[in-house]
Amino acid sequence: MTEARRLSLILVVALLALAAIFAGPYVLDTYSVNVLTRSLLYAAVALTVDLLWGFLGILTFGQSVFFACGAYAAGLVSTHMDFSTSNAFLALGLGVGGALLVAAIVGWLAFWHGASALYASVITLVLPIVATQLLYSGGTFTGSSSGLSGFMSFDLSMEAWFWLSGSFLVGVTTLAYIFVKSDAGRLLVAVRENEQRCKYLGLDTSRLKILVYLACAAIAAIAGYIYAGYAMVVAPELAGFVFGTELVIWTALGGRGTLLGPVFGALIVDYESAQLAGDYPFVWQLIIGTLFVLVIVAFPRGLLPVVFDVPRKLLGLLRPRPTTPATSVTLSTLDPADAQGVEPGEGAALMVAGVVKRFGSLTVLEGIDFEARAGELVSLVGPNGAGKTTLMRCIADGAERTSGSIHVNGYDIGRKPPEACVALGVGRKFQMANVFETLTVAQCLQIARVRHDRPSVWRRAQDLQLPQAAMHVLATTGLDKQLSTPAHLLSHGMKQALELSMVLALEPRVLLLDEPTAGLTKTERMQIGAILIDLAKKQGLCVLLVEHDLDFVREISSRVIVLHQGRIVLDGSVEEVVASELVKQVYAGSGHAGIDHETAPSPSQEMPA
Amino acid sequence: MIGQMLDIVTTAAILYAVATGLLLVFGVMKIINFAHGGLMTLGGYAALLTTQAGLNPWLAIPAAALFGGVVGMAIERFVVRPLYNRPLDAILATWGLSIIIGQLITIAFGRGVQFAQSPLNGTLDLWGESYSAYRLALVGIAAVLGIGLTALLQGTRLGLETRAVIMNEDLARGLGINSGLVRFLTFTLGSALAGVAGALITPLSSVDPAMGVPWLVNAFMLVLVSGASLVSLLFACLVLGGAQVLVATHFSPVLGGLTIAVLAAIILRIRPQGFARD
């Protein structure tokens, strides 16, 4: 399916939905139209819960507050000022502005670098509790517990409010759908799947989360504003924890991460609640509660996928058809003239001076000093616990080290987070293959290029330009023939190669590789080795490699640094290190008694027996 | 002054009694039991039934523990166990259970507010201040709970295994500890403690189907700032409960109600491990 066809199909469905909304008042009774107007607005808020929770992975209990923000802005302005069109727009501006302000504060609190998912949820849980208490204590200004009622509003017919609410819902749902299916929207899933990898691909995930959170707050506030205009009553419950959790329940029932599921979940449950709550209020709540627990435990994807999967499977049984490979992306090599990697700065590519890392009283690294130039392939060797991986971490994340300084390409990394270190030219490959398991190979690579190629918020790119080094890895390992394979189906070696090409797609100047060949076959190791030599020699990268396999180290390195108990005990050419008695002792494990860490190894020491 | 000191200490004791069950479950299972509020409500109704039957009000405590424990067993087996690897989903599912418990109680007892008989009436004179005897008794009860749990965790084989599971579940399993059983017992104990907490607060507040929910968020925030330690929970209850009392008396009761949640959120922002030592 071409891009234009995909987008026009979405638009056709949206137009059909609009037509259904238009027909609504003519086929439904007055009571239903009245109730559904509210449900349509609630559905728009449930949509924002799905964007945050289903796509970005932030379980939020506080979207009710933004809805109340819009609603109370309308209520307060109409109550305390004369109703006029200009004041109505002022109210809309205040509602959205207030929601954005609150969202910015919450975002700053909840999505800082290193905050856990649980902490973000906790903040969104505290938010409605604070908001309701503030509304309660507002006295006559907010109407306290009874809220505000009897204020003026736009003089629209009930049908017109239904159409307005329905068009708003269709509008935001269509935009949200186009967004989440676009290249930019895929980032949301990438952050949910593996936030760490995103940061080390140079993406400011905190910023992304805050932006999406702000957008969701604005949508909810507009929904609340329309709600107040039509209901002409606002109450503190709108901001409450109970409404906040109801939104989550609707989203879960409908199917998180499907957009349409939460919309229909909200419409159906809220509409039925209004129908049934009069006669069986407690039984109805009990049914919803039971269904909710059942869905969470047994159908975590919600009911919409279940509803859609069953007929699809039945159809599949009747008419088995070959699975056509999804339209994939065509790769091409980036013209070196267009490369945007960091320019090599003055002096050494990597300069590590006096780096110390302590965990409490335990010192893992002490006084690490070394420099590495572009084109050098430096191997970092040493027994387990020598501090090799810790050193890598300190170079890739400015917040890691206890003291000392690190310069990359002549720039001080200071206390910068990983994404800022990537911007200075650091590329880090983790010890365990660290990719986006549910995304395809091509999508993983696209995300690695996001830093250089801004993704579209509505389209999907059909071609992907990768730097030569990344293309080289893909071609050598045959990954370029598996572009539409989901990453979790790849073999261990292929995952390692994929991660390496993702890191190379960043166009780094300093490449940090933590045991890139662990668990690989001999052939795969030779391939990776050849690629690394090529990267250092031809592309002029500074490669820092942690490795246990000394034969491999000897084959590819231009220089070896030996770490032992958190200190550099030897820094020299391959020949020097291989000939060193000290290294043999370190590895044989008998050298701990007599090693003088500060000076060069003394050749007089005896070989261990 | 003395009165305020006593307010702080007794408030901390109540919070401690309410939060221990949640802390135990969070410590061992790494999940937040949002049914804690519902189980407290259950305990409150157990107390109501006990006093309505004309039994000694002190018997409300074991009755509530029994109610909470039995329901907790069922919850662990059928809802929590499938969600071990999905902690955020476990929050939601247990919240759903809280709704179910609340609605079942509403259907059985109606929505109305009822009152249970207090086991201790009147006041005690303490340093020239006459103070509610029951609130003072709660300090003793909370101390017994804390000491009892500490003894259980530090002094018994089960406690040792539980601490092993808290520190490193995979390793504990590898060493032959039945971590499933530890989790089951922990959740049962945590639920029983929730029931007890519900019974303990009934003389201070009314009994109604939503009585546990307002306590849930405060208990939850206290647990988050305490990590998995009973000692830091005590500290958190004293500091945050004390702040709540001071804000409520000197500024406004509404702000007092928010103090624990807001302070805990700020503490966790500055120091993600909260009051825990590392």
Side-chain angles (χ1 to χ4, degrees):
Chain A
M1 191 159 34
T2 66
E3 192 61 11
R5 228 179 114 200
R6 186 181 74 87
L7 286 170
S8 35
L9 200 65
I10 295 174
L11 285 182
V12 167
V13 174
L15 286 174
L16 285 177
L18 275 181
I21 292 291
F22 182 76
Y26 298 106
V27 292
L28 296 166
D29 58 287
T30 323
Y31 178 73
S32 296
V33 171
N34 200 2
V35 171
L36 273 175
T37 306
R38 181 185 76 179
S39 308
L40 288 165
L41 295 169
Y42 284 0
V45 191
L47 182 89
T48 67
V49 173
D50 193 34
L51 280 173
L52 290 170
W53 178 36
F55 287 90
L56 204 44
I58 303 162
L59 176 56
T60 167
F61 297 101
Q63 286 309 97
S64 54
V65 171
F66 304 116
F67 184 79
C69 231
Y72 263 90
L76 286 171
V77 168
S78 304
T79 304
H80 299 292
M81 295 166 77
D82 295 327
F83 181 82
S84 66
T85 313
S86 59
N87 278 351
F89 280 104
L90 170 74
L92 180 61
L94 285 175
V96 174
L100 289 176
L101 183 68
V102 174
I105 296 170
V106 173
W108 174 79
L109 262 175
F111 308 133
W112 55 291
H113 173 64
S116 69
L118 182 63
Y119 181 70
S121 291
V122 169
I123 296 296
T124 68
L125 180 71
V126 172
L127 177 67
I129 292 164
V130 173
T132 346
Q133 292 301 327
L134 291 179
L135 289 175
Y136 275 132
S137 57
T140 49
F141 183 69
T142 59
S144 194
S145 61
S146 48
L148 301 167
S149 58
F151 48 81
M152 294 276 288
S153 172
F154 288 105
D155 185 19
L156 295 181
S157 67
M158 203 167 69
E159 290 79 16
W161 283 113
F162 182 86
W163 288 326
L164 178 63
S165 310
S167 317
F168 176 68
L169 175 64
V170 173
V172 290
T173 309
T174 310
L175 290 179
Y177 191 85
I178 291 174
F179 171 67
V180 296
K181 300 284 175 188
S182 73
D183 285 338
R186 196 175 301 119
L187 290 178
L188 269 54
V189 178
V191 170
R192 183 190 70 199
E193 290 280 316
N194 194 339
E195 183 165 358
Q196 184 197 38
R197 181 73 266 179
C198 283
K199 284 178 190 285
Y200 283 96
L201 289 177
L203 304 178
D204 189 343
T205 56
S206 299
R207 188 164 154 269
L208 178 74
K209 285 178 178 178
I210 292 176
L211 282 177
V212 175
Y213 195 65
L214 287 173
C216 287
I219 293 172
I222 297 172
Y225 176 81
I226 301 175
Y227 172 84
Y230 123 91
M232 287 193 279
V233 55
V234 292
E237 285 74 30
L238 291 180
F241 168 66
V242 173
F243 181 40
T245 48
E246 268 182 307
L247 291 164
V248 174
I249 292 176
W250 299 336
T251 307
L253 288 179
R256 64 184 97 158
T258 62
L259 286 189
L260 292 181
V263 167
F264 284 108
L267 286 175
I268 293 169
V269 178
D270 186 55
Y271 177 72
E272 287 301 323
S273 297
Q275 299 282 340
L276 296 174
D279 302 326
Y280 317 99
F282 309 130
V283 179
W284 171 247
Q285 286 293 319
L286 185 64
I287 294 171
I288 290 295
T290 314
L291 200 60
F292 175 56
V293 174
L294 193 73
V295 163
I296 292 285
V297 175
F299 308 103
R301 290 167 61 224
L303 294 176
L304 187 83
V306 176
V307 171
F308 270 87
D309 277 359
V310 172
R312 194 177 292 164
K313 279 202 183 119
L314 287 177
L315 267 181
L317 284 179
L318 289 176
R319 194 162 46 107
R321 57 179 167 184
T323 46
T324 45
T327 44
S328 190
V329 172
T330 31
L331 288 186
S332 56
T333 307
L334 184 75
D335 187 347
D338 292 340
Q340 303 167 59
V342 188
E343 290 296 315
E346 296 286 309
L350 176 65
M351 203 166 87
V352 176
V355 165
V356 175
K357 171 68 183 176
R358 291 195 189 91
F359 293 103
S361 58
L362 179 73
T363 303
V364 182
L365 291 176
E366 198 169 0
I368 302 291
D369 289 288
F370 71 93
E371 282 185 18
R373 283 174 291 102
E376 270 194 299
L377 207 162
V378 183
S379 283
L380 212 52
V381 301
N384 284 326
K388 304 183 298 291
T389 300
T390 309
L391 179 56
M392 294 290 224
R393 209 181 292 142
C394 288
I395 298 171
D397 181 353
E400 281 285 337
R401 66 189 188 282
T402 310
S403 62
S405 73
I406 291 170
H407 286 74
V408 172
N409 273 326
Y411 301 101
D412 189 353
I413 68 164
R415 291 283 164 202
K416 289 184 175 131
E419 61 267 23
C421 293
V422 171
L424 294 179
V426 177
R428 177 179 175 201
K429 200 205 142 309
F430 289 82
Q431 190 167 357
M432 298 300 199
N434 192 344
V435 295
F436 302 106
E437 298 282 336
T438 60
L439 300 183
T440 66
V441 169
Q443 290 169 340
C444 286
L445 291 166
Q446 268 175 329
I447 287 174
R449 284 299 292 171
V450 162
R451 215 173 70 76
H452 294 297
D453 295 335
R454 258 189 109 74
S456 161
V457 293
W458 57 286
R459 286 188 321 125
R460 292 179 191 175
Q462 303 286 318
D463 58 323
L464 176 62
Q465 290 198 316
L466 291 176
Q468 203 196 339
M471 287 297 278
H472 184 55
V473 175
L474 292 175
T476 318
T477 55
L479 257 182
D480 54 349
K481 293 179 191 65
Q482 301 195 42
L483 287 177
S484 41
T485 310
H488 66 96
L489 295 180
L490 294 176
S491 71
H492 177 69
M494 283 299 204
K495 271 190 204 172
Q496 295 275 32
L498 173 59
E499 197 194 357
L500 181 59
S501 26
M502 284 162 71
V503 173
L504 290 174
L506 296 171
E507 300 175 37
R509 302 303 314 168
V510 175
L511 187 59
L512 306 177
L513 303 171
D514 203 342
E515 297 193 32
T517 65
L520 298 193
T521 62
K522 182 86 183 159
T523 334
E524 285 170 329
R525 242 192 344 236
M526 301 304 292
Q527 281 177 348
I528 298 267
I531 290 167
L532 295 182
I533 293 174
D534 187 68
L535 284 174
K537 295 254 167 66
K538 293 209 187 115
Q539 318 266 341
L541 263 69
C542 168
V543 181
L544 189 61
L545 178 82
V546 167
E547 193 48 73
H548 275 303
D549 181 348
L550 286 183
D551 290 332
F552 183 69
V553 166
R554 189 191 321 203
E555 257 163 60
I556 67 165
S557 316
S558 58
R559 185 176 145 202
V560 179
I561 292 177
V562 185
L563 269 183
H564 183 55
Q565 294 177 346
R567 293 163 189 262
I568 293 181
V569 289
L570 188 59
D571 179 351
S573 69
V574 178
E575 292 72 29
E576 282 175 297
V577 170
V578 168
S580 155
E581 291 302 319
L582 178 82
V583 173
K584 287 175 189 153
Q585 287 182 4
V586 163
Y587 268 90
S590 63
H592 50 81
I595 291 175
D596 185 352
H597 295 298
E598 299 302 326
T599 56
S602 51
S604 63
Q605 277 173 312
E606 300 269 321
M607 268 283 283
Chain B
M1 191 60 204
I2 299 277
Q4 200 161 68
M5 285 296 294
L6 289 173
D7 276 346
I8 290 175
V9 172
T10 54
T11 304
I14 297 166
L15 289 169
Y16 191 77
V18 169
T20 39
L22 200 63
L23 179 101
L24 201 62
V25 172
F26 182 61
V28 176
M29 309 171 78
K30 305 288 176 290
I31 55 173
I32 305 289
N33 176 20
F34 261 35
H36 196 77
L39 291 164
M40 282 177 71
T41 313
L42 209 61
Y45 277 86
L48 184 70
L49 287 177
T50 315
T51 58
Q52 276 177 351
L55 298 170
N56 184 338
W58 286 113
L59 285 177
I61 295 175
L66 188 70
F67 268 55
V70 171
V71 174
M73 284 183 193
I75 294 178
E76 201 281 340
R77 178 63 194 83
F78 295 107
V79 177
V80 173
R81 197 172 293 178
L83 300 177
Y84 280 163
N85 298 323
R86 293 189 270 147
L88 285 184
D89 280 6
I91 295 185
L92 292 175
T94 50
W95 172 250
L97 287 169
S98 211
I99 295 176
I100 295 175
I101 293 173
Q103 297 307 320
L104 285 176
I105 287 176
T106 312
I107 291 169
F109 293 90
R111 262 182 137 157
V113 171
Q114 306 185 60
F115 293 93
Q117 199 191 324
S118 171
L120 265 184
N121 291 306
T123 56
L124 270 182
D125 279 332
L126 212 62
W127 297 299
E129 186 86 19
S130 96
Y131 201 81
S132 157
Y134 184 70
R135 283 184 74 101
L136 289 173
L138 278 178
V139 178
I141 295 172
V144 169
L145 279 179
I147 292 167
L149 271 179
T150 310
L152 184 70
L153 285 175
Q154 305 289 335
T156 65
R157 171 95 198 165
L158 176 68
L160 182 67
E161 293 188 353
T162 308
R163 280 185 293 144
V165 173
I166 292 177
M167 283 175 198
N168 187 338
E169 178 160 1
D170 290 333
L171 182 60
R173 269 224 300 271
L175 293 174
I177 293 175
N178 183 348
S179 71
L181 183 67
V182 170
R183 282 163 171 268
F184 179 70
L185 293 176
T186 308
F187 197 86
T188 307
L189 184 59
S191 305
L193 285 170
V196 170
L200 289 176
I201 58 168
T202 43
L204 304 173
S205 66
S206 56
V207 178
D208 67 80
M211 62 179 272
V213 177
W215 293 89
L216 174 67
V217 173
N218 278 348
F220 170 56
M221 298 306 285
L222 285 168
V223 167
L224 283 181
V225 292
S226 321
S229 149
L230 284 163
V231 180
S232 45
L233 179 65
L234 179 64
F235 185 67
C237 288
L238 278 170
V239 172
L240 296 182
Q244 176 185 357
V245 169
L246 293 178
V247 171
T249 42
H250 295 293
F251 295 96
S252 90
V254 172
L255 288 181
L258 296 177
T259 309
I260 292 182
V262 172
L263 277 185
I266 294 170
I267 288 169
L268 289 171
R269 172 68 170 86
I270 299 165
R271 208 179 130 83
Q273 67 273 46
F275 291 143
R277 254 176 303 173
D278 53 323

